[in-house]
Amino acid sequence: MTPLPFGGPPAEAGTVYLVGGGPGDPGLVTLRGAQLLATATVIAHDRLSPPEPLTLRRDDAELINVGKQPARHALSQDEINDLLVVKAAAGEAVVRFKGGDPFVLARGSEEAQACAVAGIPFQVVPGITSGIAAPAYAGIPVTHRSVAPAFAVVTGHEDPSKGATQADYAALARFPGTLLLYMGMGRLGEIAAALVDAGRPATTPVALVEWGTTPRQRTVTATLADVADRARQVGLASPAIIVVGDVVALRDEIGWFEQRPLHGMSVLVPRTRHQASELSERLRTLGADPVEAPTIAIEPSRATEALRDAVASLVDGAYDWVVFTSSNGVDATWAHVEQLGGDARWFSRVRLGAVGSGTAEALWQRGLLADVVPERQTTRALAQALIAAASAAAPRALLPRADLATPTLTAELRDAGWDADDIEAYRTVAAAELPDGVAERIRDGGVDAVAFASSSTVRNLVDLLGGTPPPATRIVSIGPVTSQTCREVGMRVDAEAESHDIDGLVAAVVAATRTG
């Protein structure tokens, strides 16, 4: 992996790194944390550490789930301490990836002590703690010049009715600021009562922020008098941060995270693993919970010689045009250019066509500018645009395409007198199965929308599911060809992208969820 800017040196063998993963939003992981995740040889992660940054890991990294849940531990704390020490002593570069901050109401300090006793070098990488982040995402500042001059972080994992409790509720009731209670949902009623009994007004505003900073975030506001009843009514549970104080009232004015257009919506992304990340990130930015379920995989052509020979002939002027109908075709063609020792200058004697903006962007990343990109991004529109742009009487064109590409483009060009070489550049192969739990989630109505970017993903998803998604699932298509395939297999199309690219598909998902 290319070193991250400001990420610091890679993880060193024999060292333990206690890395805070933040409250759940993968974008809140620090650059230092990301660099260490990308270079560690062993990663021990929690139940509440964000899963997305784990994809940065090395292919050969050992991933160990040590997650602890109430009443059920994958490993005890002593076992976790021993694991870190043993792995580091064996020469591994160990990252202990924890939700939130390792030293804020967490056991990171105990893990550091275990390393110190064993003589194992360790480093601490702080993370953004949920007590500050979750309220901020809910539109609640933990301090405000006119409302709260301070905040206190308190564990709620004690029973305030016990005399031996460490939390001084009398002092907390007098505290002139915001109270942030972690791990307190199981004792919410007791905590609220203890604060009221100690003198905090029963009318004090309270907010509960569940799954803060994630697409699952929910926020409920109440008072100390009725917060436990409100939590039961809406079914709020752990993990959640309890915010007590007048700053809660600011949420009505500056709440933002839950106002995003796709907040809380789950969207299935059935693209290839390589392609899914861009669409998923765009959806996540708008508040969605993207569910990646690759239904196809891209594999090299079984007859690579034909494309290699065609690419080699570019320098001799064998073609007037090279026409691409996908970014995968660009990738496959460029791979041959590099293998043959070429570069962008090999395309200096040809004009370039691209079916849409995504394909044109793939060319641009190689220093190539598409000469023709049709306004309506279909192969038929591409053929018409190419024919209109042709200057020679019988242009010769290279078309590096998928093995299952529709014949429309080639047929229309040949009918117009073009000499078109339609060459298999790559193969699309159906996935053997969906990721664990995804099929059940779709069938049970746990997916709000499906964003189809191609006809092959439509047919493959239906095959893998053994049928179509439930009628309530909104179906979104990238363009008319994909929409037609949806209808052929019995699915209603709720929205079709106006521009047949990722931007258009994302906009169509938003439109579908607004009208659903």
Side-chain angles (χ1 to χ4, degrees):
M1 175 180 174
T2 303
L4 294 168
F6 315 116
E12 295 184 6
T15 301
V16 171
Y17 299 88
L18 306 174
V19 177
D25 182 346
L28 297 182
V29 173
T30 64
L31 287 173
R32 181 63 180 144
Q35 173 73 316
L36 293 170
L37 286 169
T39 54
T41 59
V42 173
I43 301 172
H45 64 98
D46 271 346
R47 176 177 72 100
L48 294 181
S49 57
E52 293 87 355
L54 296 176
T55 61
L56 297 172
R57 69 184 185 275
R58 294 166 34 158
D59 292 339
D60 60 348
E62 181 182 4
L63 195 61
I64 305 172
N65 182 358
V66 299
K68 294 184 289 184
Q69 302 185 43
R72 182 167 65 85
H73 292 180
L75 292 178
S76 69
Q77 188 59 53
D78 286 342
E79 289 172 328
I80 293 172
N81 296 347
D82 291 342
L83 173 72
L84 302 179
V85 169
V86 168
K87 291 292 185 180
E92 303 287 357
V94 182
V95 163
R96 172 70 169 100
F97 191 48
K98 304 172 71 71
D101 181 278
F103 281 8
V104 177
L105 297 181
R107 309 287 290 270
S109 55
E110 297 172 44
E111 293 162 359
Q113 287 175 305
C115 290
V117 169
I120 298 295
F122 67 91
Q123 295 182 19
V124 180
V125 180
I128 298 174
T129 186
S130 57
I132 295 174
Y137 272 49
I140 302 170
V142 297
T143 64
H144 187 281
R145 186 172 59 177
S146 303
V147 179
F151 66 88
V153 173
V154 187
T155 180
H157 196 52
E158 294 182 307
D159 186 348
S161 66
K162 292 193 308 184
T165 181
Q166 290 179 287
D168 185 344
Y169 283 89
L172 292 175
R174 297 191 302 272
F175 182 73
T178 306
L179 302 180
L180 306 171
L181 292 111
Y182 293 54
M183 303 173 289
M185 290 300 292
R187 299 183 174 88
L188 180 58
E190 292 90 338
I191 291 170
L195 288 170
V196 172
D197 290 345
R200 197 88 171 198
T203 55
T204 301
V206 181
L208 308 175
V209 188
E210 180 187 58
W211 287 105
T213 79
T214 76
R216 299 168 62 183
Q217 177 174 310
R218 289 194 298 165
T219 305
V220 170
T221 57
T223 65
L224 284 175
D226 63 2
V227 66
D229 289 337
R230 286 284 293 133
R232 280 192 293 270
Q233 289 169 6
V234 300
L236 226 64
S238 295
I241 293 295
I242 304 168
V243 187
V244 180
D246 291 338
V247 290
V248 170
L250 295 170
R251 167 174 163 76
D252 293 338
E253 182 180 356
I254 61 175
W256 63 277
F257 185 67
E258 294 165 54
Q259 309 305 317
R260 297 177 302 164
L262 294 179
H263 181 74
M265 304 294 295
S266 58
V267 182
L268 189 74
V269 179
R271 307 190 84 195
T272 66
R273 195 170 304 280
H274 170 69
Q275 295 172 318
S277 58
E278 179 185 0
L279 177 56
S280 294
E281 188 54 40
R282 298 286 295 280
L283 293 169
R284 188 178 289 111
T285 298
L286 295 177
D289 176 17
V291 181
E292 294 188 0
T295 59
I296 60 173
I298 303 300
E299 294 188 356
S301 169
R302 288 161 295 197
T304 59
E305 297 84 0
L307 182 57
R308 185 177 63 244
D309 292 345
V311 168
S313 70
L314 290 175
V315 293
D316 299 322
Y319 294 100
D320 303 299
W321 288 83
V322 181
V323 180
F324 297 97
T325 56
S326 72
S327 59
N328 293 317
V330 175
D331 294 342
T333 301
W334 192 257
H336 284 294
V337 171
E338 291 185 329
Q339 289 169 8
L340 293 167
D343 55 31
R345 290 172 294 183
W346 280 30
F347 294 87
S348 63
R349 300 177 65 177
V350 299
R351 300 179 73 187
L352 299 172
V355 71
S357 58
T359 306
E361 173 63 22
L363 288 169
W364 179 253
Q365 290 174 359
R366 273 84 175 184
L368 301 171
L369 179 65
D371 297 281
V372 170
V373 182
E375 183 175 344
R376 187 168 173 78
Q377 299 174 39
T378 65
T379 52
R380 188 178 301 279
L382 176 59
Q384 294 168 352
L386 290 168
I387 292 167
S391 55
R396 187 162 190 215
L398 170 62
L399 281 60
R401 304 210 293 157
D403 57 334
L404 301 178
T406 60
T408 303
L409 176 61
T410 305
E412 294 212 6
L413 291 178
R414 287 175 178 167
D415 287 346
W418 286 53
D419 182 4
D421 278 355
D422 192 334
I423 295 179
E424 179 184 298
Y426 61 94
R427 294 187 299 137
T428 54
V429 181
E433 60 184 1
L434 292 170
D436 288 346
V438 169
E440 292 77 9
R441 182 172 178 179
I442 297 170
R443 296 190 192 106
D444 293 343
V447 168
D448 297 302
V450 183
F452 288 113
S454 69
S455 292
S456 58
T457 58
V458 174
R459 297 190 186 279
N460 290 346
L461 179 63
V462 171
D463 287 344
L464 291 168
L465 271 181
T468 59
T473 307
R474 277 152 274 188
I475 304 301
V476 184
S477 159
I478 199 169
V481 175
T482 303
S483 295
Q484 179 59 32
T485 304
C486 289
R487 298 185 184 101
E488 289 173 359
V489 300
M491 287 190 290
R492 171 200 72 252
V493 177
D494 295 283
E496 180 182 293
E498 293 184 9
S499 61
H500 312 312
D501 53 17
I502 295 299
D503 289 338
L505 186 57
V506 171
V509 171
V510 173
T513 57
R514 283 177 175 168
T515 58

